[in-house]
Amino acid sequence: MTDKDIVPLPKKWPSEDWQSTWVPGVQVGDMLYVSGITATDESGHPVGISDIKVQTERCFAKLQDVLGRVGSGLDNVVKLTTYLAAGVDADAVAAYFEVRQSYLGRHGVASTGINVHSLRRPEYLIEIDAIAHLKDA
């Protein structure tokens, strides 16, 4: 594999400039590997503090945006990893799945859910990363 085979996605929002080597995703052939997504606005400020439903909606909206940068969509997602901060209870997990279904429908994807001690900022309750197969790539 050469550098030409690995295509980092361009940054779009000011919040994506937080670290010079971070990219929103990397395309390798017909696969897209999406970096971890947290619930921030375009400027990088957390949204939905203490509200897992709002944070989950924001994460999926941002995932949709990143996929759209390569002409793809949520129906191309084949793997989803969800990180939940300590203290996220069963009601919050149910809210997560409600939002997830509103974005993915009944589209089944391979999934992993992980409870972690903490995420990068204490306001974050959830972080999502994904792998998508770009069918038309």
Side-chain angles (χ1 to χ4, degrees):
M1 185 174 311
T2 68
D3 288 346
K4 291 181 181 180
D5 297 325
I6 301 172
V7 182
L9 295 184
K11 297 176 183 183
K12 179 178 174 183
W13 307 109
S15 63
E16 295 176 340
D17 277 331
W18 70 274
Q19 210 269 347
S20 63
T21 60
W22 182 89
V23 293
V26 176
Q27 184 175 346
V28 181
D30 63 356
M31 301 300 293
L32 179 66
Y33 301 87
V34 179
S35 297
I37 294 172
T38 54
T40 57
D41 62 19
E42 289 82 5
S43 298
H45 300 104
V47 300
I49 295 171
S50 300
D51 189 333
I52 190 74
K53 188 169 185 175
V54 171
Q55 287 198 15
T56 303
E57 288 170 347
R58 182 65 184 148
C59 288
F60 275 101
K62 288 173 67 177
L63 175 57
Q64 213 168 19
D65 175 74
V66 171
L67 293 165
R69 296 179 200 187
V70 293
S72 186
L74 292 169
D75 59 330
N76 294 97
V77 173
V78 296
K79 175 73 168 94
L80 197 62
T81 304
T82 304
Y83 305 87
L84 297 169
V88 171
D89 62 15
D91 290 337
V93 171
Y96 158 78
F97 278 107
E98 179 184 321
V99 173
R100 174 181 155 151
Q101 184 170 342
S102 75
Y103 277 87
L104 296 179
R106 300 245 180 246
H107 170 63
V109 299
S111 301
T112 301
I114 303 169
N115 289 81
V116 296
H117 175 69
S118 65
L119 294 167
R120 193 173 69 81
R121 292 180 66 166
E123 300 92 343
Y124 298 154
L125 301 174
I126 185 169
E127 184 167 342
I128 297 172
D129 66 40
I131 300 172
H133 178 238
L134 309 175
K135 298 172 187 167
D136 299 324

